[in-house]
Amino acid sequence: MLSILPLTEKGRRRIAPSFSNPDDAMETMQETIQKELTEISHELAGVLAKTEGIPGLGNGAAAEWTRVCRDVERQLGDAAIRVAVVGAIKSGKSTFVNALFGGDYLKRGAGVVTSIVTRIRPGRRLRAVLVFKTWSEINAEIDSALGLMPPDIRTPAEDGFDLRDDEARRRLAETLAGLAPDQVLTEDARNPQIALMSAFLDGYDGIKKIVSDAPVTRRFEDADFTEHRPFAANDHLAVFLDDIRLEIDTGDVPANTEIADCQGSDSPNPHHLAMIEDYLLTAHLIVYVISSRTGLRQADIKFLNIIRRMGMLDHALFVVNADLNEHETADDLARLVKKIREELALVAPDPEIYAFSALLDLLRAPANDPTEKDRGRLSAWEADAPLRDLSDNGSKRFNAEFAGKLTRQRNALLFRSHLERLGVMASGMTHRINVNRELTGRSASGADEMIERIQAHRKKMEGIQAMIRSTLEGASGKLKNTLKSEVDRFFDSRRAAETVGGLLRFISNYNLPGDGAASGDVKTGFHADMYRVYSDFKSAVDRFMAESVNPEIIRFVREAERKIRAHFETVTGPYDVMLGDVLAEYNRTLTALGIPPVRERNDGISIPDVDSIREKAGVTLPAAEASMRYSARMKSEAMMRFGFFSLLRLFKKLIRKKEGDGAGNRRKALEAGLKHLKADTRDSILFHFKDYRENLKYQYLFKLVDAATEVLNAALIHRFGAYAGDLSEIVRLMGKGQGDSVKLTARIGDIHTALGDIQTRIDRLRERLDNGDGPAPANETREEI
């Protein structure tokens, strides 16, 4: 179990790992491996620096390898395994994350007001970093939400709405207050656009001194940490945030792990779903939380189908968050879990389910300070041994599997590729030293023969390197052409049944709801009704995009990323055999010359993972939320094309024409407005997706291809350069006489010894990774709970 350290000067308990628990030891082992890799890289860089001035060693290759070592250290410090915690509103996601970190750090029970993805990482201190939107971003969101509100709401002196204008805020508040209840609701929930504008109005006074024309960052640390909570838990403050990141200094979450507490997947705001989809695209693991109070709901099935269409359901663990007050017996909870398993299997075959009370784990955490009410809960739950033990068993199994998955991801993503890069460089420099020592110790005639034979192999390697580089460049061009055709076809409105074509059909088939004609004043009531038509229509289009279009785009992009990697694997594959043959022949020559052969692990030419390629390219996928930013163009086109006054004239004309049927005439006017809206939305969608399509090609996928080509070329340079160095400097040294070379003998010997020690550490670490440091997956012995 975890041992407890004394209280710190701040009065907070720190948790220290004890190796009596294998899980704790395993997590510490991962941090140890990362630390050791960093130390190896640092030591190798130091050894390479010592080769400066030594003929045949301290040349351009040593300088390049030193840069690579520094790059490895940076990537080990920056790269993270990302875990998305998702589920419906009030399923217990924040409580689950709090339990992982062993303290009540995230506000619990916030429900739908959580309107931004909160990212949490282990750190050395408590810290919350909040990044606020700029005034231009805030005003653009409000202007988009205003849609077809009466024109006099906007600030006369500005092109659009400005929240800082007192008169504009007053007019907007009056307009919102005057809306009828049926104009505020969309699909039995508060209209997202109205909720957004209300939140900005409500939060303005508390935020006006913080927000600026440039992004503002606020930090809350240590004793001030809890001051960040209102911003994350209250919609009228969270709406002003662009990003929120937390660092927490307790709990068992391994270093370089990011946990994301996502909004409720059934939020009525489709933009919340788009934000979750954006994070899921970068996530390595998903934890899906289901409340035992509600079981698996229709909203869960809907969101799980979205995850499945994104191609990410295989990366999900399912947690049934047990409310122990809701279940009379352990058997009652077990029956519920069995039912959830059967229902889940319809969407996710053979799901990995773990049932436990996250709140029980949280209340037990030493760093937590429970309320009197929570202490009463904890006492009652501890007294119910069957339920308590069932929860403890589920929690133990989850923690083992969760830690194991993090270990395997970390090994694959962070450790193994970096270890191989360090191994190639250490082996290459050791080989150069061996050649240097052998060459400087020979007679002139013996050295000439040795140089001739080694240089012949060097030319052969350079020829293969040039051939592969040329092949990669050609493959890059062909791959771009293939991707271009596939992207164009995917976004072709005539063929893309699941994306643009499906969205256009949805728009075409959308009809005015049966209650679309509201009663009220001819002028004010009609304006309000037309806004409701616009708002309901936009919400329906946004939700269709979030639920149907965005998942297909993400699935397509993930497949394209895999295709890029697989393409280069196919291209470089045939050269692996050629490379192995050349190195084997080279080693035979070295043995014949009395030089130790090169230590070579013929694992082939390594293709980097997509995360590494993306980082190298410095690109991110255009956000899923960006695919929904068509409304500003749609709104401006609609306003220019028919406007409120023309609609109002149409409405008045119909009223005069047929005084006896005011409601019917009003509906005809609204239908005419909707017809224009649909036409303008179609044009806006086509324009927007054309822009999105071109950005996806040229600013993302093509840059990934270029980055993959560059990374592979660099790997070739390192691989060949390690063994095929230029011997001309050593030849010049031999011409100066044996005396100068004697002066370097001790120096080279020290470097050789240090490289041998580094190579031993690399071999040992590689063996640990090959054997696996984590426990066996928990689902190998599948239990019901």
Side-chain angles (χ1 to χ4, degrees):
M1 298 298 293
L2 295 175
S3 61
I4 308 303
L5 295 180
L7 287 172
T8 67
E9 69 277 8
K10 299 183 182 67
R12 300 184 65 255
R13 294 186 183 275
R14 305 277 176 162
I15 300 180
S18 166
F19 287 99
S20 61
N21 186 330
D23 295 343
D24 299 335
M26 180 215 55
E27 292 176 2
T28 304
M29 195 175 297
Q30 299 312 302
E31 296 176 3
T32 300
I33 290 176
Q34 181 169 332
K35 181 180 178 182
E36 188 167 355
L37 254 179
T38 303
E39 290 177 354
I40 290 172
S41 180
H42 185 74
E43 289 181 16
L44 181 56
V47 171
L48 292 170
K50 293 178 181 179
T51 66
E52 184 177 355
I54 300 178
L57 301 183
N59 54 12
E64 173 64 15
W65 292 345
T66 301
R67 185 196 63 77
V68 172
C69 288
R70 302 304 184 206
D71 191 46
V72 166
E73 293 177 43
R74 179 186 60 78
Q75 290 183 25
L76 284 170
D78 293 344
I81 303 299
R82 291 177 291 276
V83 181
V85 179
V86 298
I89 294 171
K90 294 185 179 180
S91 58
K93 300 183 295 298
S94 296
T95 302
F96 168 81
V97 174
N98 279 334
L100 284 180
F101 285 95
D104 230 341
Y105 301 110
L106 304 177
K107 184 175 177 62
R108 293 186 277 130
V112 74
V113 300
T114 302
S115 61
I116 191 169
V117 174
T118 303
R119 300 182 288 128
I120 312 105
R121 292 194 186 191
R124 297 182 181 275
R125 65 191 301 183
L126 274 179
R127 176 185 290 134
V129 180
L130 279 60
V131 181
F132 291 84
K133 298 172 183 174
T134 64
W135 281 122
S136 61
E137 291 170 334
I138 291 167
N139 289 329
E141 287 188 35
I142 298 175
D143 208 41
S144 176
L146 282 170
L148 299 184
M149 280 280 192
D152 58 357
I153 288 179
R154 289 175 176 74
T155 310
E158 302 290 341
D159 292 334
F161 187 90
D162 190 338
L163 189 62
R164 292 167 290 185
D165 185 277
D166 294 340
E167 181 62 18
R169 290 199 311 278
R170 185 191 66 77
R171 289 199 298 262
L172 178 58
E174 287 181 355
T175 301
L176 295 180
L179 294 176
D182 63 337
Q183 295 168 334
V184 176
L185 299 177
T186 298
E187 297 179 354
D188 298 325
R190 195 180 186 193
N191 181 281
Q193 281 78 39
I194 294 175
L196 178 75
M197 292 185 288
S198 298
F200 276 124
L201 287 175
D202 293 341
Y204 175 77
D205 287 336
I207 214 80
K208 61 184 178 182
K209 294 182 180 180
I210 299 177
V211 176
S212 176
D213 291 328
V216 172
T217 299
R218 284 286 183 95
R219 290 177 173 82
F220 302 94
E221 299 177 339
D222 300 324
D224 298 328
F225 176 81
T226 56
E227 293 183 22
H228 86 276
R229 282 184 170 182
F231 294 96
N234 297 303
D235 210 27
H236 68 278
L237 297 177
V239 73
F240 289 91
L241 287 177
D242 186 56
D243 188 29
I244 178 168
R245 306 186 301 273
L246 306 183
E247 293 178 17
I248 297 177
D249 58 351
T250 60
D252 300 328
V253 178
N256 290 99
T257 303
E258 180 177 280
I259 309 293
D261 183 22
C262 299
Q263 305 100 311
S265 57
D266 53 343
S267 165
N269 189 341
H271 287 265
H272 288 180
L273 178 56
M275 293 180 199
I276 300 172
E277 291 169 339
D278 282 335
Y279 191 85
L280 286 178
L281 182 63
T282 68
H284 303 97
L285 184 64
I286 297 171
V287 177
Y288 197 98
V289 181
I290 303 166
S291 172
S292 73
R293 294 192 308 273
T294 60
L296 201 65
R297 295 180 289 177
Q298 186 62 36
D300 292 305
I301 297 296
K302 195 172 188 178
F303 186 52
L304 287 170
N305 272 311
I306 290 174
I307 297 175
R308 178 181 57 79
R309 290 169 60 191
M310 292 170 64
M312 300 189 65
L313 208 52
D314 291 342
H315 302 285
L317 297 176
F318 296 93
V319 169
V320 176
N321 191 13
D323 184 341
L324 300 184
N325 288 333
E326 291 289 320
H327 305 284
E328 294 291 335
T329 65
D331 289 341
D332 177 38
L333 178 57
R335 283 192 293 271
L336 173 66
V337 174
K338 182 180 179 181
K339 180 173 181 286
I340 291 174
R341 185 188 302 280
E342 292 171 351
E343 293 171 341
L344 264 180
L346 300 176
V347 182
D350 197 25
E352 300 178 38
I353 302 179
Y354 306 88
F356 58 91
S357 169
L359 184 57
L360 175 60
D361 288 353
L362 174 61
L363 296 180
R364 286 170 168 170
N368 192 37
D369 184 18
T371 63
E372 183 176 349
K373 180 179 179 180
D374 282 339
R375 283 195 293 270
R377 288 178 179 175
L378 179 60
S379 177
W381 292 345
E382 295 285 15
D384 190 339
L387 265 176
R388 179 201 64 204
D389 292 345
L390 185 149
S391 177
D392 288 346
N393 179 53
S395 178
K396 181 179 179 181
R397 290 179 54 248
F398 171 80
N399 288 332
E401 177 63 11
F402 183 62
K405 283 186 178 292
L406 292 180
T407 298
R408 292 187 287 275
Q409 283 283 359
R410 186 171 286 103
N411 286 352
L413 183 65
L414 302 181
F415 295 158
R416 196 172 298 278
S417 62
H418 293 319
L419 186 64
E420 294 308 321
R421 293 170 75 186
L422 296 175
V424 167
M425 292 184 291
S427 175
M429 185 55 72
T430 300
H431 167 62
R432 289 189 174 205
I433 287 177
N434 289 334
V435 173
N436 182 299
R437 294 168 114 182
E438 187 65 29
L439 192 55
T440 55
R442 294 197 176 201
S443 64
S445 60
D448 286 342
E449 178 190 359
M450 178 179 169
I451 291 172
E452 183 179 353
R453 296 182 66 177
I454 290 179
Q455 294 289 51
H457 280 283
R458 179 188 173 201
K459 290 181 180 179
K460 185 179 293 187
M461 290 182 184
E462 288 176 345
I464 295 175
Q465 184 178 346
M467 190 187 310
I468 297 178
R469 184 183 297 111
S470 176
T471 302
L472 286 176
E473 291 173 356
S476 173
K478 290 180 181 178
L479 180 56
K480 286 181 180 179
N481 288 333
T482 300
L483 290 172
K484 181 180 183 299
S485 298
E486 291 181 354
V487 171
D488 289 343
R489 186 163 53 250
F490 180 78
F491 285 101
D492 188 338
S493 61
R494 296 165 298 179
R495 302 179 183 176
E498 300 297 327
T499 52
V500 183
L503 179 58
L504 294 179
R505 283 196 302 276
F506 175 83
I507 292 170
S508 177
N509 294 332
Y510 183 88
N511 292 312
L512 196 69
D515 59 346
S519 61
D521 178 76
V522 168
K523 180 178 179 181
T524 305
F526 180 72
H527 277 166
D529 282 351
M530 192 62 226
Y531 177 75
R532 182 189 175 189
V533 170
Y534 164 84
S535 188
D536 287 354
F537 173 65
K538 183 181 182 302
S539 294
V541 174
D542 283 351
R543 183 158 295 283
F544 184 87
M545 291 184 70
E547 295 179 355
S548 301
V549 178
N550 288 349
E552 290 299 321
I553 292 175
I554 292 172
R555 177 194 58 77
F556 173 79
V557 171
R558 289 177 67 87
E559 288 181 0
E561 291 173 341
R562 285 191 288 267
K563 184 170 293 185
I564 290 171
R565 195 171 189 274
H567 182 80
F568 283 111
E569 283 179 340
T570 302
V571 170
T572 59
Y575 291 101
D576 286 339
V577 177
M578 186 183 302
L579 177 60
D581 291 342
V582 170
L583 290 176
E585 183 181 350
Y586 184 52
N587 275 336
R588 287 193 293 271
T589 299
L590 294 177
T591 301
L593 292 170
I595 301 173
V598 174
R599 294 183 48 156
E600 172 67 21
R601 280 172 59 94
N602 189 20
D603 294 332
I605 301 172
S606 177
I607 309 296
D609 59 86
V610 172
D611 276 359
S612 298
I613 299 173
R614 195 184 292 121
E615 181 185 2
K616 177 70 177 177
V619 297
T620 56
L621 177 69
E625 193 185 7
S627 68
M628 300 162 68
R629 294 173 190 162
Y630 60 90
S631 57
R633 177 182 172 88
M634 176 190 79
K635 178 193 65 184
S636 62
E637 289 179 348
M639 293 293 290
M640 286 188 300
R641 186 165 165 184
F642 57 93
F644 274 97
F645 295 113
S646 62
L647 282 175
L648 190 59
R649 285 195 298 271
L650 172 62
F651 175 60
K652 289 180 176 178
K653 181 179 179 181
L654 290 169
I655 288 290
R656 289 194 298 269
K657 185 176 180 181
K658 196 173 183 179
E659 295 289 343
D661 189 15
N665 291 331
R666 179 181 295 237
R667 182 176 180 85
K668 289 180 180 179
L670 294 177
E671 287 175 343
L674 177 61
K675 181 179 179 181
H676 285 298
L677 267 180
K678 289 165 69 171
D680 290 319
T681 301
R682 176 187 172 88
D683 292 342
S684 178
I685 289 288
L686 290 174
F687 177 87
H688 177 80
F689 272 109
K690 178 181 178 182
D691 184 61
Y692 188 90
R693 179 192 70 198
E694 297 307 296
N695 279 332
L696 179 61
K697 282 189 295 191
Y698 292 101
Q699 300 302 319
Y700 186 70
L701 292 177
F702 287 6
K703 287 189 175 182
L704 281 186
V705 172
D706 291 338
T709 304
E710 184 179 344
V711 168
L712 285 173
N713 273 328
L716 284 171
I717 292 172
H718 296 157
R719 188 75 168 269
F720 286 102
Y723 312 122
D726 190 351
L727 303 179
S728 57
E729 293 183 54
I730 301 178
V731 174
R732 286 197 297 271
L733 176 67
M734 293 175 64
K736 294 180 181 179
Q738 199 70 11
D740 290 336
S741 64
V742 170
K743 296 178 182 179
L744 297 175
T745 301
R747 185 178 170 189
I748 293 175
D750 291 342
I751 294 173
H752 190 271
T753 300
L755 286 170
D757 293 340
I758 290 174
Q759 190 67 62
T760 299
R761 293 182 67 181
I762 289 174
D763 290 342
R764 289 175 179 170
L765 194 54
R766 183 185 288 123
E767 184 178 356
R768 291 173 68 184
L769 291 178
D770 288 342
N771 293 336
D773 276 314
N779 63 327
E780 286 185 2
T781 305
R782 185 64 62 87
E783 301 177 35
E784 282 300 309
I785 300 295

